[in-house]
Amino acid sequence: MDRKRATLIGLAAILLWSTMVGLIRSVSEGLGPVGGAAMIYTVSGLLCLVTVGFPDLRKFSPRYLIAGSVLFVSYEICLALSLGYAATRSQAIEVGMVNYLWPSLTIVFAILFNGQRSNLWVIPGLAISLLGVCWVLGGENGLHVDEIVRNVVSSPLSYALAFAGAFIWAAYCTVTSKFARGQNGITLFVLLTALSLWVKYALSAQPEMVFSVPVVVKLLMCGVALGFGYASWNVGILHGNVTVLAAVSYFTPVLSAALAAVLLSSPLSFAFWQGALMVCAGSLLCWYATRK
């Protein structure tokens, strides 16, 4: 495949994934946090079967098969439920921003566990990303400790899941880089996520799933965004310009927040955008620290 075309396909994955915060929250409002997530990953898993195909598990390292499965499923559940359990739509967008600590954390994990070379710029990069998240959580006042505490206390499970998810995805990326050996287990991992969510749905009290035309449309959009996003990213990473894809991916927090604000009809404060740009800047600085 032509490299430029493959890069464009990879960039399409970033655009598709940027819709996830708004779409997951919209589906959760109609089908419930757990039921909505289970439906989303079921649709996505079926699409992955068509677009990516089911992997040959005999080629996988047993270590990656087990660790990759556990980390991927854990992350996706943390992400979906953190958005579904958020008290309000604007809070769901803030929770999504907490999740975007993972690019900076991924680089830190690569340095600590995979021997990635870097310079000291990674320290201010991580600090700026953390400051950006705190700025977002401070609401309209920016970095305001009382407001941050009040915000987190209002929905502690949601923020805890998002924060844990950022660390889990960083660990997943580190494990994949070290043990995957070029194998793509996305289809298996997405199907396992759907199965895990259906088990939770069956074993716990959940609100009734109310299907409506808008909810079904957004469910299908979310399934397509997730399924085709992984397929497109795979093409971009294998055949495109990885440097371009990596650099552009660090602007996902701003793009994701903008699309979520539109999809959820939830205007965001100027302080939020300041924090989002800090998260992007910190991630880019961490990435720059690893460049030769």
Side-chain angles (χ1 to χ4, degrees), residues 36-108:
M39 288 295 297
I40 288 168
Y41 286 97
T42 300
V43 173
S44 299
L46 294 174
L47 278 172
C48 285
L49 279 173
V50 175
T51 56
V52 180
F54 197 81
D56 184 353
L57 301 184
R58 294 170 298 179
K59 296 180 179 178
F60 280 69
S61 156
R63 209 165 4 180
Y64 175 60
L65 197 58
I66 295 170
S69 297
V70 171
L71 290 170
F72 184 95
V73 171
S74 300
Y75 167 74
E76 296 295 343
I77 290 175
C78 283
L79 174 63
L81 297 188
S82 68
L83 297 173
Y85 286 140
T88 64
R89 289 182 167 187
S90 60
Q91 194 174 77
I93 301 175
E94 292 178 3
V95 165
M97 193 58 59
V98 174
N99 171 69
Y100 282 116
L101 278 173
W102 71 260
S104 298
L105 291 173
T106 298
I107 292 172
V108 173

Side-chain angles (χ1 to χ4, degrees), residues 7 17 24 47 54 67 75 110 130 135-136 141 159-161 174 180 188 190 199 206 211 232 237 267 286-287:
T7 303
W17 285 335
I24 289 176
L47 278 172
F54 197 81
Y75 167 74
L130 289 169
W135 206 277
V136 166
N141 298 315
Y159 285 106
L161 287 171
T174 305
L188 171 65
V190 173
V199 170
Q206 299 295 331
F211 290 91
S232 300
I237 290 297
C286 287
W287 172 74

